[in-house]
Amino acid sequence: MCHIQEIPENGADIAHLNYLHKSAPPITKGSDIIKTDLSDPQPAVQHVWDGKWEVKSEEDKHCGVMHLNQYMTIWGYRVPLTSSKLIAEQHGPGIVHMIFDFGMWGKGVVFQTVTPEEALLQRVRFRIFSNIPWFFVKFFYDCGGNAI
Ligand SMILES: [Fe+2]
């Protein structure tokens, strides 16, 4: 329930990840932002995010590309095998093509579409294709892997 423009604006705002998506499960209780505990500025288990946006190419100036890196820490120490890389291409407000890499866990593609159904009502669909074990994908998806 939002304007279609708010969804890509959220994705463009990389800075919010280290605030609203810092806490890692089970602290966040999933991707529900309402249940995210922001009272502890240094939770024991954290996601650490870093990324940038750039224009895809001279020929494709209408496409933005985000390069996003993430890893987890416990009490400030980096946790091995938790690194992930994401490359996301934003094609207008309604299409996002993402390629993610969880290292030894596998790789995958996410195709996101946003379809307006009413003025402030969007239907967002995610199609995930991956060689990562299904339970691992479901865990990250349920825990905010969609990063909305
Ligand atoms: Fe977010």
Side-chain angles (χ1 to χ4, degrees):
M1 296 184 71
C2 65
H3 190 281
I4 190 171
Q5 185 175 336
E6 293 178 280
I7 297 172
E9 283 181 351
N10 176 73
D13 181 17
I14 292 173
H16 90 278
L17 297 174
N18 280 317
Y19 296 95
L20 295 181
H21 299 283
K22 174 192 269 184
S23 296
I27 298 164
T28 57
K29 299 180 178 64
S31 60
D32 187 342
I33 198 71
I34 301 299
K35 296 178 181 173
T36 298
D37 181 5
L38 300 176
S39 63
D40 183 358
Q42 293 297 327
V45 182
Q46 296 182 26
H47 291 284
V48 178
W49 303 89
D50 182 38
K52 66 175 184 177
W53 277 95
E54 62 187 8
V55 173
K56 181 177 178 182
S57 67
E58 188 64 29
E59 295 174 346
D60 294 315
K61 287 182 179 176
H62 64 287
C63 296
V65 180
M66 178 179 67
H67 300 266
L68 185 64
N69 300 312
Q70 179 278 153
Y71 62 89
M72 292 178 70
T73 62
I74 298 178
W75 293 295
Y77 295 99
R78 189 169 180 155
V79 180
L81 306 177
T82 62
S83 296
S84 64
K85 295 179 184 287
L86 173 75
I87 299 172
E89 289 188 12
Q90 181 81 45
H91 297 259
I95 297 174
V96 183
H97 179 257
M98 296 172 256
I99 299 172
F100 62 88
D101 183 348
F102 282 99
M104 67 170 276
W105 298 102
K107 299 178 181 179
V109 173
V110 178
F111 189 64
Q112 174 191 331
T113 56
V114 181
T115 305
E117 294 195 335
E118 293 178 20
L120 294 175
L121 181 64
Q122 316 303 320
R123 180 175 299 276
V124 182
R125 293 183 176 96
F126 295 91
R127 294 167 187 88
I128 302 173
F129 305 91
S130 174
N131 63 355
I132 295 175
W134 68 267
F135 56 89
F136 192 77
V137 174
K138 182 168 181 9
F139 172 78
F140 271 87
Y141 186 77
D142 290 346
C143 295
N146 53 356
I148 291 178

